[in-house]
């Protein structure tokens, strides 16, 4: 079905943080996707970090800059 099952995890959760125009926001999501609001993208580049939240530990941070 194109989905990755969380291995040895009770749930699939991600912490997504993004910064734009000097502001930082954060959300916890249960799917590996999220839409950054268009209003945030108009303030210049948006830096997005994603970390998978695990039962025993969190993953390393993945970072992308959207221009």
């Amino acid at each position: 079905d194109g989905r990755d099952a969380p291995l040895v995890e009770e749930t699939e959760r991600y912490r997504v943080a993004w910064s734009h125009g000097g502001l930082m926001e954060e959300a916890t999501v249960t799917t590996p996707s999220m839409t950054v609001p268009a209003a945030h993208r108009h303030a210049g580049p948006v830096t997005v970090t994603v970390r998978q939240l695990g039962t025993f530990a969190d993953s390393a941070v993945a970072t992308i800059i959207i221009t």
Side-chain angles (χ1 to χ4, degrees):
D1 67 6
R3 294 190 56 196
D4 292 327
L7 301 175
V8 193
E9 298 296 344
E10 298 164 358
T11 61
E12 187 171 7
R13 295 183 311 136
Y14 302 88
R15 180 170 298 123
V16 182
W18 62 98
S19 61
H20 57 94
L23 300 174
M24 174 68 100
E25 298 190 50
E26 186 175 280
T28 299
V29 296
T30 57
T31 60
S33 65
M34 182 178 167
T35 301
V36 176
H40 297 178
R41 295 191 307 263
H42 290 292
V46 178
T47 301
V48 180
T49 60
V50 180
R51 179 184 300 264
Q52 186 172 15
L53 304 176
T55 302
F56 301 105
D58 297 345
S59 73
V61 174
T63 302
I64 187 170
I65 299 173
I66 302 170
T67 57

